[in-house]
Amino acid sequence: AICYTTMVILREERRFFLQVVFTNVLILFMLLFLGYLIGIKKIVAHSSINDLTNLVVDVSMPCTIALSMVRPFDARLLGDAIKVMVAILIFQLVLSGLAYYATKILKVNPSKSGSWIFALVFSNNAFVGYPLMYALYGNDGLFLMAMGNVVQNVLIFSLGIKLITLNYNLKDHIRLRHIIFTKQNIAVVVGMFIFFLQIPIPEPVLTLVTYVANLTVPLSMMVVGMSLSRYDVRNMFTDKEAYRLTIIRMVLLPLVMVVIFKVLGINVNQNLPLAILFFTAALPAPAFTTIMAERYNTSIEFSSKCVFLTTVLSILTVPILAGLL
């Protein structure tokens, strides 16, 4: 009777997990499709997409970063947060190096290689990861994903800029101080001070920042949709490089992690930092793949294809691979 009850509970948990993943990915697609309709109907001119990109990158995203750290200090989670941040830093730096050499071995088109690496290394931690971790692991999961995303954001707006502009001769030279002193990295520092020093935030200011931060998820996905509206949607399924990237990103990479956990006898569901690391590897490419390409006018179409295809496949791969843990 006890075994039967346990099996019933596990089945219900699995069903809940599948429902949460499917619902969150479906919402993202609805936002992306809405952006696509806005683009093809010319409600927003294509020439204005870059302005909306800047709004996300320079205004709403910094608010999202800072807001994720406005919470009561919890010493119990501090150790886990440090583990998550170190693990994601090492994981994404090592993966960047491996991905760079993979583009050489696979002979990826040089004009696409930067976006190829970017889409392989970085994950949709905020737009999919935040609600997914909250649904699966509660406030602790959300906080740890947010702390891990701090590391990813620092890398996106430093290493990521170098990747997305790889093999492009930009007129504007990217200086080191411009990479370090970005609005996103400043938001990280401000957020850290608020979290560790427990600085009280006036209610009107907190409400204002929350309103602006709430723009990030819908506006980012709609920008991707608007970028897609520039191209024939049938071409989303005709790019060999995008397919190869999607299979490696959504199947091989998380599958390798599952095998490693199994061989080492690690129960990821009982180790929250490792669960965060796994989902960082398993979630689709971030909307920022397109947004950064849009901002620096590099491989916009290819970046949009990578975001589109990895998000489509994530409906199947995320729940299936997570179910193998």
Side-chain angles (χ1 to χ4, degrees):
I2 294 176
C3 292
Y4 176 76
T5 302
T6 302
M7 291 177 61
V8 171
I9 293 173
L10 290 175
R11 280 200 300 266
E12 289 300 320
E13 288 179 349
R14 184 69 56 82
R15 185 180 304 168
F16 171 74
F17 178 83
L18 292 171
Q19 182 180 353
V20 169
V21 173
F22 178 78
T23 300
N24 282 285
V25 175
L26 178 62
I27 291 171
L28 288 178
F29 263 105
M30 292 170 68
L31 289 169
L32 188 150
F33 184 65
L34 177 59
Y36 179 77
L37 290 178
I38 289 172
I40 61 174
K41 295 296 184 181
K42 303 295 177 62
I43 297 174
V44 173
H46 288 164
S47 59
S48 299
I49 296 176
N50 192 254
D51 293 328
L52 293 176
T53 299
N54 292 335
L55 178 61
V56 174
V57 174
D58 291 334
V59 182
S60 70
M61 192 62 186
C63 289
T64 301
I65 295 170
L67 188 64
S68 69
M69 300 184 196
V70 180
R71 58 168 290 160
F73 182 80
D74 187 347
R76 180 178 57 85
L77 282 176
L78 185 57
D80 283 348
I82 293 173
K83 291 177 184 177
V84 167
M85 296 175 77
V86 171
I88 290 180
L89 176 64
I90 295 174
F91 173 74
Q92 292 186 331
L93 287 177
V94 171
L95 189 58
S96 296
L98 294 175
Y100 177 78
Y101 287 107
T103 61
K104 304 297 182 182
I105 296 171
L106 297 175
K107 297 180 179 180
V108 177
N109 187 319
S111 67
K112 300 176 180 178
S113 60
S115 292
W116 200 95
I117 300 170
F118 192 103
L120 181 64
V121 172
F122 300 116
S123 302
N124 204 332
N125 281 358
F127 309 147
V128 181
Y130 282 4
L132 187 58
M133 292 304 97
Y134 179 75
L136 295 176
Y137 304 111
N139 285 324
D140 289 357
L142 174 61
F143 175 72
L144 291 180
M145 179 59 86
M147 295 301 288
N149 208 41
V150 166
V151 174
Q152 176 167 278
N153 283 325
V154 171
L155 290 176
I156 281 177
F157 292 101
S158 52
L159 173 64
I161 295 176
K162 289 294 186 181
L163 291 177
I164 212 72
T165 57
L166 188 66
N167 299 323
Y168 282 86
N169 295 319
L170 298 180
K171 294 181 180 179
D172 296 328
H173 184 63
I174 301 174
R175 301 178 183 276
L176 181 61
R177 69 173 183 270
H178 294 161
I179 293 176
I180 296 175
F181 296 105
T182 64
K183 296 177 179 64
Q184 298 76 27
N185 292 345
I186 292 172
V188 169
V189 175
V190 171
M192 287 290 193
F193 272 106
I194 292 172
F195 175 69
F196 285 108
L197 300 180
Q198 288 297 285
I199 300 173
I201 308 298
E203 189 63 31
V205 174
L206 185 61
T207 301
L208 174 63
V209 173
T210 302
Y211 283 159
V212 178
N214 287 341
L215 294 173
T216 301
V217 173
L219 193 55
S220 294
M221 294 310 297
M222 283 192 286
V223 165
V224 174
M226 283 183 270
S227 295
L228 286 172
S229 70
R230 295 169 168 172
Y231 316 108
D232 187 341
V233 72
R234 292 172 294 184
N235 292 335
M236 295 295 107
F237 301 95
T238 59
D239 194 313
K240 179 183 68 174
E241 298 294 359
Y243 273 116
R244 290 201 295 182
L245 178 279
T246 300
I247 295 300
I248 294 172
R249 180 71 181 80
M250 301 308 301
V251 179
L252 296 182
L253 180 60
L255 187 58
V256 167
M257 295 193 69
V258 170
V259 172
I260 291 174
F261 291 143
K262 289 294 184 182
V263 170
L264 297 178
I266 299 174
N267 188 341
V268 175
N269 292 318
Q270 295 179 358
N271 190 319
L272 197 49
L274 288 181
I276 301 300
L277 179 62
F278 169 77
F279 280 103
T280 297
L283 293 174
F288 268 90
T289 311
T290 300
I291 289 173
M292 296 297 279
E294 185 82 48
R295 182 167 197 177
Y296 292 99
N297 195 28
T298 56
S299 51
I300 302 171
E301 182 177 8
F302 176 70
S303 297
S304 299
K305 292 175 182 178
C306 291
V307 175
F308 179 80
L309 291 175
T310 56
T311 305
V312 168
L313 196 57
S314 70
I315 300 175
L316 296 175
T317 58
V318 173
I320 290 174
L321 291 170
L324 297 177
L325 294 173

